[in-house]
Amino acid sequence: MNAPQDSAAGNCDTVELALGGMTCAACAARIEKQLNKLPGVEAAVNFAAERAHVRYAPGDVDVERLIATVVKTGFTADISTADTRSEEKARKLAIYHDELRRFWISAALTLPLVAQMAFMFGADTHDDVLPRWLQLLLATPVQFWIGWRFYVGGFNAIRGGAGNMDVLVALGTSMAWAYSVVVTAWNLHHQHVYFEASATVITLVLLGKILEARAKAGTSAAIEALAKLQPQTARIERRIGDITELVDVPVATLIPGDVFVVRAGEAMPVDGAVIEGASSADEAMLTGESLPVAKAAGDKVFAATINGDGLLRCRATGVGSHTLLAGIIRLVEQAQGSKAPVQRLADRVAAIFVPVVVAIALATFIAWWALAGDFTQAMVNAVAVLVIACPCALGLATPTAIMVGTGQGARAGVLIRNAVALELAQKLKVLVVDKTGTLTEGRPVVTDIVKVGAGDTATLLRLAASLEQGSAHPLAAAIVARAKTDGLALAVPQNVVATAGRGLAGEVDGRRVQLGSVTWMQEQGHAAAGAEALAQAGRSVVAVVADDVLLGVIGIADPLRATSRAAVARLDRLGVEVVMLTGDNAGTARAVAHEAGIELFEAEVLPGDKAAAVNKLKGAGRLVGMAGDGINDAPALAAADVSFAMAAGSDVAMQAADITLMRDDLGSVADAISLSRATLAKIRQNLFFAFIYNVLGIPLAALGMLNPVIAGAAMAASSVSVVSNSLLLRRWQPNKD
């Protein structure tokens, strides 16, 4: 594989190609091989989804060359986008109906041939119920009209230097048909004809493909369900002269800044911010959370979520492909198109499968003819080997399970970025969690203001809040909010300097002010009286110093999420040890860990040191996951084997983490691990079925224990059974292990 040379610099583009003409895993392997031969290209082909996800360096190749390469390989390719998805679906539906029509014609022509077989059972005769010339007339259209697709596909495969299912079917049925033609033309009454075998095999393969297509459609049901959620029209404000009117327009025409109105019970057309009104929104389709979320002026709303019983007036902020819903769909599609490491074995087998099967069929033919002296039986057994050895089931085993699993995850608010993360999540033994916003609510409030000396609490709070105005830290927001609640007039700070993980320093009203952790202040010679008692009570403590004099400390509480303790217990039952890392003091960390049921924790860990702590845990040979907000914990998330971003609605988090949890609930991590284990269990089952089918089927056919008709039926059934087994993943539910 030629990985893009400039990927490190981020100078790579990606494109999703919709593929056509693939019949088995060998086809997907051949397309992938040819694309990866191109300079600067990294491609992954998903046989089940009929997609190719391609990363390429624009300076080396372009999309036109990628498409041309696929076409040259013997298949069709088009750029797949949200705009073309409906066109692709319509095209596939038309193909499906054409295939269905051909199947019924094939079945009608084949049925008389099969019927005569029933009359002949037990009869020791070569006489036929139907004249052989009539059998020839019935079988030939099936062989060369209905079955023409196998000849075209087989020719393209051989031209590309490989083989596929089409080669096996075309070879097997052609041998049976040609032999029967010779017997008929030379009027060899002492020999059987096998027109019914060639026609029935083609009919059964076609039926299998139809059933497989229907089953595969179910694997992408989650994506289609998400895409259908967004309404087609929006009610927006339009100024006509001096009058502002409400006008219904297509959602596709909205631009950022448009003001739209959503009535009770209607779906949000795009992402936006509430300007006016109060209501609630059902965001279950995005987060998996059934409880409605209150909405008021300033709150965010998301496309496809359902407005409650109030009228909302909103300003559009994200439209088209920039909505949260569109981001979720892209993420799920990306995951469905990726490959799990477990699939590598299947890919290697599929690449050499067809040549090996052809060799086995040839050996079977020679052995039977040489040892038994029966040309007819040798030919029949060779045909059976060719027909039963279809690698379709092998190619469908992994991608169909991944497609269903990631779709179920999306419905539950668990967005899995790639199949590698899905596979690794099942093996996690340690989960590192941040405290603020992960275990706790992430909305801290000031609970205590303890002054030292002769100063007053109002001055202490005003100085601290004035300095914290420019900080995005949750504790800073709590201090500023308390000052505003108390009606304090804040000053504009000057010369503010932040020390990561420590605190702030600056000038407020001409006074030199410092605030930060108790440890930092102690290092500078300021003993914070009363801090220990607050810390033991589970408070985060901020010390405030002005003009080198300690004014006092502020105690801030961030309540534990109601679900955190249950989530930690659930992870423990799954065999995952939870470790808490926090920059807070030891007393606060101990109190929160105890309340959450966590035994191992580290306090006063600087942001830059969290990654080192994760690597230390990995050094014990265990797979380590990290759950954080996806932004502040970026180094630790990157260091973990699997990263979980608990940041609903954050595009940054969705791009930073392996798995994004749309609900800020640690229980979603347990859901992700549970889903991973369920999906990998299905993949292992599918691979077992696919391998055991060929391991047992090919020898039985070679030994003459399977005729071509039964082999054709078994081949069709194998693919359908694998896909159907994957569809059982739709029974998976969150909060259940």
Side-chain angles (χ1 to χ4, degrees):
M1 181 180 297
N2 297 320
Q5 297 299 310
D6 48 1
S7 59
N11 189 24
C12 281
D13 288 343
T14 61
V15 65
E16 198 83 14
L17 299 179
L19 305 176
M22 291 192 298
T23 56
C24 67
C27 299
R30 192 162 81 255
I31 296 173
E32 189 173 286
K33 181 180 179 181
Q34 294 303 317
L35 286 173
N36 284 322
K37 284 182 179 179
L38 299 174
V41 171
E42 186 177 321
V45 176
N46 187 323
F47 171 53
E50 298 181 321
R51 290 283 194 279
H53 183 77
V54 186
R55 293 177 69 243
Y56 64 98
D60 296 326
V61 296
D62 54 22
V63 175
E64 287 73 19
R65 187 176 177 186
L66 296 174
I67 294 175
T69 300
V70 176
V71 172
K72 186 179 179 181
T73 309
F75 305 91
T76 63
D78 293 294
I79 298 174
S80 177
T81 64
D83 297 331
T84 62
R85 193 176 292 113
S86 59
E87 297 176 7
E88 292 172 29
K89 187 177 179 180
R91 177 177 58 82
K92 287 183 178 181
L93 187 62
I95 293 174
Y96 173 79
H97 286 304
D98 183 62
E99 294 271 331
L100 194 61
R101 179 176 61 85
R102 289 172 178 265
F103 165 74
W104 287 118
I105 296 173
S106 183
L109 294 171
T110 304
L111 192 60
L113 299 172
V114 176
Q116 79 144 5
M117 293 174 60
F119 291 107
M120 296 174 60
F121 281 146
D124 187 19
T125 179
H126 297 293
D127 294 333
D128 301 284
V129 176
L130 294 178
R132 291 185 174 182
W133 65 266
L134 181 56
Q135 294 184 49
L136 174 62
L137 289 177
L138 291 171
T140 300
V142 176
Q143 184 71 41
F144 295 105
W145 179 47
I146 304 297
W148 184 247
R149 54 181 290 174
F150 301 114
Y151 290 99
V152 173
F155 174 77
N156 288 331
I158 294 172
R159 186 181 63 177
N164 62 0
M165 181 202 76
D166 294 333
V167 174
L168 301 179
V169 174
L171 276 176
T173 58
S174 295
M175 285 174 61
W177 181 87
Y179 174 82
S180 300
V181 169
V182 171
V183 170
T184 302
W186 268 260
N187 203 22
L188 304 176
H189 289 288
H190 62 286
Q191 297 289 348
H192 282 295
V193 292
Y194 293 93
F195 290 118
E196 79 284 347
S198 63
T200 304
V201 166
I202 289 174
T203 303
L204 287 173
V205 171
L206 195 57
L207 175 61
K209 285 295 175 185
I210 290 171
L211 295 175
E212 180 186 306
R214 289 189 63 181
K216 281 166 51 178
T219 64
S220 58
I223 285 286
E224 294 182 3
L226 286 171
K228 290 178 181 177
L229 291 174
Q230 189 170 21
Q232 298 302 305
T233 61
R235 187 170 291 103
I236 68 170
E237 294 182 356
R238 282 283 188 263
R239 191 166 182 84
I240 303 175
D242 296 330
I243 303 174
T244 300
E245 296 183 354
L246 292 177
V247 183
D248 288 339
V249 300
V251 168
T253 64
L254 264 66
I255 61 174
D258 279 343
V259 176
F260 61 89
V261 174
V262 186
R263 296 178 296 191
E266 292 182 339
M268 309 292 177
V270 294
D271 291 359
V274 178
I275 301 173
E276 186 180 340
S279 185
S280 61
D282 180 359
E283 298 180 348
M285 66 287 297
L286 298 181
T287 66
E289 178 58 62
S290 59
L291 295 176
V293 181
K295 300 294 179 183
D299 291 333
K300 294 181 179 179
V301 294
F302 303 102
T305 58
I306 307 299
N307 185 26
D309 54 6
L311 181 72
L312 294 178
R313 183 168 172 262
C314 312
R315 188 178 307 280
T317 57
V319 302
S321 62
H322 299 289
T323 64
L324 177 61
L325 177 65
I328 291 173
I329 292 174
R330 282 196 303 272
L331 202 65
V332 176
E333 286 181 331
Q334 181 181 336
Q336 292 184 341
S338 63
K339 285 191 176 184
V342 73
Q343 192 175 342
R344 293 170 186 164
L345 175 61
D347 287 346
R348 287 197 296 268
V349 172
I352 62 170
F353 195 80
V354 173
V356 170
V357 170
V358 172
I360 294 173
L362 182 61
T364 299
F365 177 79
I366 294 172
W368 274 92
W369 195 10
L371 299 176
D374 190 338
F375 177 87
T376 302
Q377 190 62 45
M379 186 270 300
V380 170
N381 293 343
V383 170
V385 170
L386 291 170
V387 171
I388 201 168
C390 172
C392 288
L394 195 61
L396 292 167
T398 299
T400 53
I402 289 172
M403 291 175 71
V404 178
T406 52
Q408 287 299 105
R411 288 179 174 177
V414 178
L415 304 182
I416 301 166
R417 189 172 184 179
N418 54 62
V420 176
L422 181 64
E423 181 171 339
L424 289 178
Q426 61 145 351
K427 303 176 183 178
L428 290 181
K429 295 300 180 183
V430 179
L431 178 69
V432 177
V433 298
D434 186 35
K435 177 179 72 69
T436 304
T438 303
L439 292 170
T440 63
E441 293 285 353
R443 293 188 294 271
V445 294
V446 174
T447 56
D448 305 272
I449 302 175
V450 181
K451 67 181 183 66
V452 176
D456 59 90
T457 57
T459 300
L460 187 158
L461 180 60
R462 180 178 177 276
L463 291 173
S466 296
L467 188 59
E468 291 276 36
Q469 286 180 97
S471 175
H473 197 283
L475 299 185
I479 294 173
V480 173
R482 173 62 182 269
K484 290 182 177 179
T485 302
D486 291 355
L488 301 178
L490 303 184
V492 178
Q494 305 290 327
N495 303 319
V496 179
V497 178
T499 303
R502 300 289 191 173
L504 295 174
E507 295 178 6
V508 178
D509 293 339
R511 303 180 69 179
R512 182 65 180 172
V513 180
Q514 293 174 285
L515 60 88
S517 68
V518 173
T519 303
W520 191 39
M521 295 305 175
Q522 288 175 343
E523 292 173 356
Q524 300 178 63
H526 303 293
E532 184 64 26
L534 292 177
Q536 293 297 330
R539 306 288 193 265
S540 297
V541 184
V542 176
V544 183
V545 173
D547 298 327
D548 210 33
V549 177
L550 180 69
L551 300 184
V553 293
I554 300 174
I556 303 171
D558 186 7
L560 194 74
R561 293 184 187 276
T563 57
S564 290
R565 187 172 183 86
V568 171
R570 185 181 169 201
L571 287 164
D572 183 66
R573 291 195 299 272
L574 290 170
V576 180
E577 184 179 32
V578 181
V579 179
M580 184 183 77
L581 300 181
T582 178
D584 223 328
N585 63 76
T588 302
R590 186 178 297 104
V592 173
H594 177 75
E595 188 178 358
I598 297 173
E599 295 184 2
L600 295 178
F601 66 90
E602 289 188 37
E604 300 181 7
V605 181
L606 299 177
D609 296 333
K610 287 186 178 181
V614 170
N615 286 324
K616 182 179 178 182
L617 290 168
K618 289 170 63 177
R622 300 180 296 178
L623 259 66
V624 178
M626 169 72 188
D629 63 11
I631 303 171
N632 296 333
D633 297 314
L637 289 168
D641 295 302
V642 182
S643 56
F644 302 85
M646 304 179 64
S650 171
D651 290 337
V652 176
M654 288 171 62
Q655 294 302 317
D658 297 316
I659 300 175
T660 300
L661 310 175
M662 301 304 294
R663 287 187 291 130
D664 288 334
D665 179 356
L666 196 62
S668 292
V669 177
D671 287 338
I673 295 172
S674 170
L675 178 61
S676 170
R677 294 180 179 181
T679 303
L680 267 293
K682 282 295 176 211
I683 290 175
R684 285 190 287 267
Q685 291 170 13
N686 287 348
L687 288 174
F688 173 79
F689 292 150
F691 277 118
I692 202 69
Y693 163 80
N694 285 303
V695 167
L696 296 178
I698 293 175
L700 289 175
L703 293 172
M705 301 174 69
L706 291 176
N707 67 50
V709 173
I710 296 175
M715 181 199 66
S718 68
S719 297
V720 176
S721 63
V722 165
V723 180
S724 299
N725 189 49
S726 293
L727 288 173
L728 293 177
L729 269 174
R730 294 164 75 172
R731 297 179 179 178
W732 178 87
Q733 296 293 328
N735 302 313
K736 294 181 181 180
D737 304 320

